[in-house]
Amino acid sequence: MRLIFLGPPGSGKGTQAKMLGESLHIPQLSTGDLLRAAVRGGSELGREARKFMDAGKLVPDDLVIQLILARMQQKDCEGGFILDGFPRTLGQAEALEKAFIVKRITIDAVISFEIEEHELLVRLSGRRVCPNGHGEWHIRFHLPSNPGFCDVCHAPLVQRADDEESRIRVRLAAYRKDTEPLKKFYAERKLLRPIPADGPMAAITQQIETTVKQLR
Ligand code: AP5
């Protein structure tokens, strides 16, 4: 199964991709996570990407495409994957389509997370993450066992630089301008499956599972 999770920042793509990936035994490929790992690793790509990420702007297409295509070559992707946060521009979608034609593989569906913007602000401003990349929680909706600390490495949780309110607004504007047009791109290819993403996590998981079962 090869899926794309498309939606605005905070719509729950990462949370749901992680759970579905575990139940289908396929990896969640998050360009946000790959970029943050590159930043932590101090590579040249990471240093370049950081300037855009901290400001809430999209990282240039060539850097992201290079990163995700390399990740998709790895063995664990042979049985499928969930692309979480990629593609995010028409240039990325076209590059992905070309790469898939070369590899003779196809996408099964694009799950589009539909949600109002005021809900996104609440979710993103309350998110707290592990500084060592072990996961993310929420001060109201998804508490770790010991509030304020990572469940895995017990480090104090922090707020992402781009979850500050003015940067959230920059990210939402980038979504509307660059990413939302992808809905039309994938609807024209009969791949778009919209799901309501503003309810409790378990209800959204069920919606996604029902959609995925219908694809089999
Ligand atoms: P990335 O890490 O992908 O961030 P994003 O798209 O802005 O997405 P988020 O992680 O903020 O939201 P999400 O939809 O995954 O929601 P989540 O499940 O975390 O990208 C970061 C940056 O990297 C970008 O701004 C850009 O600079 C760069 N980048 C990445 N990909 C790129 C690309 N392809 N091209 C160019 N640049 C790229 O949930 C959010 C919070 O809400 C969590 O706290 C969660 O616990 C909570 N929550 C989730 N579901 C629910 C629910 N149902 N009810 C209540 N709370 C919920």
Side-chain angles (χ1 to χ4, degrees):
M1 180 75 60
R2 295 184 203 92
L3 300 168
I4 292 175
F5 278 14
L6 180 70
S11 57
K13 305 179 297 294
T15 304
Q16 296 293 339
K18 185 169 188 297
M19 289 194 281
L20 185 69
E22 280 166 10
S23 80
L24 295 179
H25 306 290
I26 53 175
Q28 164 206 12
L29 307 185
S30 154
T31 37
D33 287 348
L34 291 172
L35 288 164
R36 278 184 291 276
V39 170
R40 280 195 299 276
S43 65
E44 198 185 324
L45 188 151
R47 282 197 297 278
E48 182 61 18
R50 183 176 191 162
K51 293 185 234 158
F52 296 90
M53 295 172 78
D54 282 355
K57 294 179 180 165
L58 291 181
V59 173
D61 281 358
D62 53 340
L63 295 184
V64 185
I65 292 166
Q66 176 192 331
L67 198 66
I68 195 78
L69 292 184
R71 177 65 185 86
M72 286 191 319
Q73 300 291 346
Q74 292 178 16
K75 201 161 175 50
D76 63 338
C77 294
E78 282 172 6
F81 45 77
I82 302 171
L83 288 172
D84 160 17
F86 182 90
R88 236 179 251 223
T89 64
L90 277 173
Q92 292 177 17
E94 283 161 0
L96 185 68
E97 198 167 64
K98 275 190 200 142
F100 278 12
I101 290 170
V102 171
K103 285 162 84 70
R104 297 183 188 199
I105 57 175
T106 51
I107 281 289
D108 294 291
V110 177
I111 311 279
S112 173
F113 288 61
E114 306 293 331
I115 184 167
E116 299 289 333
E117 276 198 21
H118 60 83
E119 173 74 16
L120 300 174
L121 272 168
V122 176
R123 288 194 190 175
L124 291 172
S125 55
R127 171 166 54 189
R128 298 294 179 271
V129 301
C130 169
N132 301 316
H134 290 129
E136 59 181 58
W137 290 267
H138 193 279
I139 55 172
R140 274 173 54 199
F141 306 126
H142 184 203
L143 286 166
S145 322
N146 184 10
F149 295 89
C150 174
D151 276 348
V152 181
C153 69
H154 312 292
L157 299 178
V158 296
Q159 187 172 36
R160 266 171 47 175
D162 61 349
D163 279 345
E164 190 269 319
E165 190 170 332
S166 64
R167 291 173 198 156
I168 295 174
R169 294 192 188 279
V170 173
R171 288 159 67 200
L172 291 174
Y175 173 78
R176 284 192 298 269
K177 176 173 166 284
D178 294 313
T179 311
E180 217 162 23
L182 295 187
K183 288 193 199 174
K184 183 167 176 275
F185 180 90
Y186 286 116
E188 284 168 0
R189 286 154 179 77
K190 313 236 179 300
L191 289 170
L192 196 73
R193 304 282 185 281
I195 57 133
D198 55 357
M201 286 183 201
I204 299 163
T205 306
Q206 205 167 16
Q207 281 268 352
I208 296 172
E209 284 176 355
T210 305
T211 305
V212 167
K213 270 190 199 132
Q214 287 164 355
L215 298 169
R216 286 174 163 167

